[in-house]
Amino acid sequence: MRVAILLSTYNGAAFLKEQLDSLISQTHKNWVIFASDDGSSDATLEILAIYKEKLGEDRMNIVSGPRRGFSANFLSLLKQPLANADFYAFCDQDDVWAANKLELALSWCMTIPSEQPALYCARTQLIDESGAPIGLSPLFSAPASFRNALVQSIAGGNTMVFNRSARHLLMKTREGDHIVSHDWWAYLVVSGCDGAIRYDPTPSVGYRQHGNNLIGSNARLRDRLQRLKRMFHGTFKEWNDSNLHAMQAIHPDLSSENRQTLVLFEQARHSPFLKRLALIIRSGVYRQTPLDNIGLTAAAIFQRL
């Protein structure tokens, strides 16, 4: 099975070589790297060029990104004409993949019929700037579903592997829509269209924590409380506005059950207090932990959904 590794880069020279070496070391050998650089001013492009010469044009392609942020860069890679493969893997520039990362993901992905969208994601091993382990991302145990995806992203894009059917759905994303995060968007789209979702509790990615991370791991209590704070400042509401607007492009592909869940959730966000709470309960949306669900309830009460 051929895997297209979708690598987004932007001023990533500090850690890029280590990541590329981990891709080359994969036990699953049938892959090709598509790297989209979003306007780097450091040595990122020089490093990519060196590895392209080493690997050959049949194993690595380099293109220019749209320069509209990391999510737009990743989604632009999905639309690359040459990116034809059986499976696709999002790849961050500063992580380190375990040698069996693709093998683990594909062992599940290949059990799903090719016509059904399938998305594999996983927990991560947190590492510091030197690559030393410093902890794990949160472990989630509630089911992965559209009702969860509407209010929470459960895994980083750096862990995601998905099939051609999922790619076809994601390619329907409209160019002008603001996608908050490509991983949350992938979870929303695939779960909403009755795709298969696998959340693997076994980490196979070293998720590097450093000062230039655009999105942190959300592992520490302080980080999660900070996210709750942003929720009450309206950030979560803005994110939902963006996601729900973008969902219009996917609406015809949603299952009837998930379409009804979406209607109830949208109605709840704009209803008076008592009706709002009743509609939220009817929609069945939930987050993965008790603390997160307390935050979700509070957000519903104070109109921050």
Side-chain angles (χ1 to χ4, degrees):
M1 297 288 102
R2 188 170 190 251
V3 180
I5 299 174
L6 309 178
L7 171 63
S8 172
T9 63
Y10 177 72
N11 289 341
F15 306 110
L16 182 56
K17 290 181 181 180
E18 190 175 0
Q19 173 66 308
L20 289 169
D21 288 339
S22 77
L23 305 185
I24 294 170
S25 298
Q26 289 298 297
T27 55
H28 180 85
K29 298 298 184 183
N30 190 5
W31 48 260
V32 56
I33 299 171
F34 288 87
S36 178
D37 187 76
D38 223 23
S40 294
S41 57
D42 64 0
T44 294
L45 283 169
E46 288 84 347
I47 294 170
L48 290 175
I50 290 170
Y51 276 80
K52 181 177 181 179
E53 183 176 357
K54 175 181 178 180
L55 293 170
E57 292 193 2
D58 60 328
R59 302 301 300 274
M60 188 166 186
N61 290 267
I62 305 170
V63 298
S64 297
R67 303 195 183 192
R68 299 198 311 271
F70 68 96
S71 290
N73 197 20
F74 274 113
L75 293 174
S76 73
L77 277 164
L78 288 173
K79 298 182 179 182
Q80 286 296 319
L82 295 177
N84 290 316
D86 301 294
F87 297 96
Y88 300 82
F90 288 136
C91 180
D92 288 358
Q93 64 188 0
D94 46 8
D95 297 330
V96 180
W97 285 10
N100 64 345
K101 186 251 191 290
L102 288 179
E103 183 180 347
L104 280 173
L106 293 176
S107 67
W108 175 81
C109 288
M110 291 171 63
T111 67
I112 308 302
S114 60
E115 65 273 12
Q116 181 181 10
L119 173 68
Y120 171 96
C121 58
R123 199 180 189 189
T124 56
Q125 170 72 65
L126 309 180
I127 60 176
D128 64 17
E129 293 195 17
S130 69
I134 56 173
L136 296 167
S137 65
L139 177 62
F140 297 131
S141 57
S145 70
F146 184 64
R147 290 180 294 118
N148 177 223
L150 276 171
V151 292
Q152 185 178 24
S153 179
I154 62 171
N158 54 353
T159 70
M160 289 182 169
V161 178
F162 47 95
N163 65 4
R164 191 180 297 159
S165 294
R167 180 211 183 193
H168 177 73
L169 287 172
L170 291 168
M171 286 176 65
K172 296 185 179 184
T173 309
R174 297 174 298 198
E175 289 293 333
D177 285 343
H178 172 60
I179 302 301
V180 175
S181 185
H182 62 290
D183 42 23
W184 191 1
W185 180 239
Y187 182 29
L188 270 167
V189 169
V190 175
S191 64
C193 300
D194 270 359
I197 308 285
R198 162 66 171 161
Y199 173 78
D200 193 339
T202 303
S204 57
V205 171
Y207 182 13
R208 199 182 304 268
Q209 305 297 293
H210 58 88
N212 294 326
N213 270 16
L214 290 175
I215 296 181
S217 68
N218 199 26
R220 297 172 300 181
L221 179 60
R222 186 180 69 182
D223 298 330
R224 303 179 85 172
L225 290 175
Q226 184 65 29
R227 292 198 175 203
L228 286 174
K229 182 179 178 180
R230 287 204 299 268
M231 177 187 292
F232 286 105
H233 285 172
T235 303
F236 185 54
K237 187 175 188 297
E238 292 174 4
W239 290 349
N240 282 331
D241 287 341
S242 295
N243 285 341
L244 294 175
H245 179 76
M247 285 298 294
Q248 294 172 8
I250 314 297
H251 196 271
D253 298 288
L254 295 175
S255 70
S256 57
E257 179 182 348
N258 289 332
R259 198 176 294 129
Q260 180 61 25
T261 297
L262 180 62
V263 168
L264 292 171
F265 181 66
E266 289 184 308
Q267 288 178 347
R269 298 179 73 233
H270 303 289
S271 294
F273 178 70
L274 292 178
K275 185 177 181 181
R276 180 164 70 249
L277 295 183
L279 288 169
I280 284 294
I281 293 171
R282 282 184 60 196
S283 73
V285 296
Y286 63 91
R287 290 170 68 89
Q288 288 284 328
T289 69
L291 178 61
D292 287 334
N293 277 313
I294 291 172
L296 178 64
T297 302
I301 292 172
F302 294 103
Q303 286 192 297
R304 291 295 185 268
L305 284 179

